Amino acid sequence: MAGIYIHIPFCSKRCTYCDFYTEVAPDLIPDLVKHLVKEINIRKDYLKNETISTIYFGGGTPSILSREQFSEILDGIFAVYTVEENAEITFEANPDDLTVDFFDSIKYLPFNRISIGIQSFDDNDLKRINRRHTADQAIKAVKNAQNAGFDNISIDLIYGLPLQSIEDWEKQLDIALSLNIQHVSAYGLTYEEGTALWKQREKGLVKPIIDETMNEMYLLLVKKMKEKGFEAYEISNFALDGFRSKHNSSYWKQNSYLGIGPSAHSYDLVSRQWNVASIKAYIAALENNTPYFEKEELTLYDRYNDYVMVSLRTSDGLDFDFLSSEFGQNLASYFLDNIRIYIENNSVIQSDGKYSLTPQGIMISNQILIQLIKV
Ligand code: SF4
């Protein structure tokens, strides 16, 4: 069981908070698509004949691609990999791309899940963070997806946006939860160095929401999601029964994955590698058969740290038997010695050998993880 991630690094304009690698360079799309297929072929043995259970087009803005371009990439994958019959095949989309015509054009493609980057249903918020769509377009996008037959729809939301109050955030959640969607990913706004938002904060043009309010917003999110039957299966991810993201869950369960495209990361259980974060450098390297990625072999501590950091954030939790057998008794004892205090103060819950963060623990997750990782 393995996954394939395809990075489509194009955006028609940049949101102020975003630090993903993307470019505003539509002229490069056809050439990039050709080279994505080339990389898929070059790396056909990376997953060592594992069956593919998830394919995920992320970005950037995959919905910028035409039907023919999606087909070219999907055909490339299906030609060299064995893809499960019921594989989860997702694409991320910007609301303003999701018109009736768009869905009409992709209706024969094998997508069965869509992840829509909405972020907010408030036009003032959207303008402040330089999103290219409106609240109306976001609601229409969801409806168009449903009318086109999508019954596995995820939306992304951000809380803690500049000037947002708890009441504003509650309104966002109410709108989201009225849309009959199956999955929500909700992230607290962060100020990443180098982004436009970070520069605005440095100049005093925006003021971050204080931690106490961010925590209250998070608790409100968890409460409202629960009331509507959504399971918090990871700190930032909420799903109705049967609608967890298989692709993301696979990352969290330490399955291997292949990342295709500029800046995409790959993991094969023993090493990580990441492609160059430049469309032009990526294309040139593939043309000249020169390296287009960097690679690091993972040490025992790297793998232990990854497992602890990721699994504690999920409701399935960290499996102590797996941790002991995979990383050995020394690291298992180290984990037990350091987690005890957080169980005592209700930040971590332990049941049947599984450990996970409680809502209080989520508020101090960085502090907990620093204690548990091994350097
Ligand atoms: S559309 Fe997505 S990837 Fe592009 S700049 Fe905005 S948040 Fe980043």
Side-chain angles (χ1 to χ4, degrees), residues 176-187:
L177 290 167
S178 70
L179 293 176
N180 201 18
I181 49 173
Q182 290 72 32
H183 188 281
V184 174
S185 299
Y187 302 96

Side-chain angles (χ1 to χ4, degrees), residues 83-275:
V83 180
E84 272 177 21
E85 201 179 323
N86 297 319
E88 178 188 271
I89 308 184
T90 307
F91 70 99
E92 289 180 351
N94 254 32
D96 54 331
D97 287 331
L98 298 182
T99 59
V100 173
D101 286 350
F102 173 85
F103 282 111
D104 208 36
S105 76
I106 62 153
K107 69 181 168 198
Y108 297 115
L109 296 179
F111 292 114
N112 48 30
R113 186 171 184 275
I114 179 167
S115 170
I116 310 177
I118 288 178
Q119 320 308 355
S120 171
F121 293 99
D122 180 314
D123 283 335
N124 290 323
D125 282 346
L126 293 167
K127 271 190 213 131
R128 267 183 224 118
I129 55 175
N130 206 32
R131 295 289 300 175
R132 58 181 232 212
H133 61 89
T134 63
D136 263 2
Q137 282 174 317
I139 293 171
K140 267 195 203 111
V142 174
K143 298 219 179 319
N144 289 344
Q146 287 163 336
N147 291 338
F150 278 87
D151 56 6
N152 189 352
I153 299 176
S154 177
I155 67 166
D156 285 355
L157 294 175
I158 299 179
Y159 59 92
L161 289 168
L163 303 180
Q164 192 176 51
S165 66
I166 294 184
E167 292 70 35
D168 295 333
W169 173 232
E170 183 160 22
K171 227 179 273 168
Q172 303 303 309
L173 291 171
D174 287 338
I175 299 173
L177 290 167
S178 70
L179 293 176
N180 201 18
I181 49 173
Q182 290 72 32
H183 188 281
V184 174
S185 299
Y187 302 96
L189 182 69
T190 54
Y191 290 72
E192 303 297 334
E193 191 168 349
T195 60
L197 185 69
W198 184 82
K199 289 175 192 151
Q200 288 170 359
R201 187 192 62 184
E202 293 301 289
K203 289 185 191 153
L205 299 173
V206 293
K207 204 162 144 231
I209 302 289
I210 59 170
D211 286 353
E212 287 72 18
T213 309
M214 290 297 275
N215 288 347
E216 267 188 71
M217 287 178 166
Y218 181 72
L219 292 175
L220 179 68
L221 164 71
V222 173
K223 177 173 158 276
K224 295 204 73 113
M225 288 292 149
K226 195 171 174 193
E227 281 168 6
K228 290 286 183 179
F230 284 74
E231 180 202 12
Y233 71 106
E234 197 267 350
I235 287 185
S236 306
N237 286 279
F238 302 82
L240 292 179
D241 194 21
F243 289 97
R244 289 181 179 196
S245 158
K246 290 186 190 142
H247 189 77
N248 287 347
S249 300
S250 173
Y251 288 157
W252 303 327
K253 287 185 179 143
Q254 307 280 295
N255 293 327
S256 40
Y257 55 86
L258 167 70
I260 297 289
S263 83
H265 286 228
S266 303
Y267 171 65
D268 65 357
L269 310 180
V270 291
S271 68
R272 284 192 189 291
Q273 66 183 62
W274 52 98
N275 289 353

Side-chain angles (χ1 to χ4, degrees), residues 11 13-15 17-18 20 22 59-61 94 131:
C11 292
K13 65 181 194 176
R14 296 276 308 163
C15 309
Y17 57 87
C18 180
F20 292 158
T22 66
T61 316
N94 254 32
R131 295 289 300 175

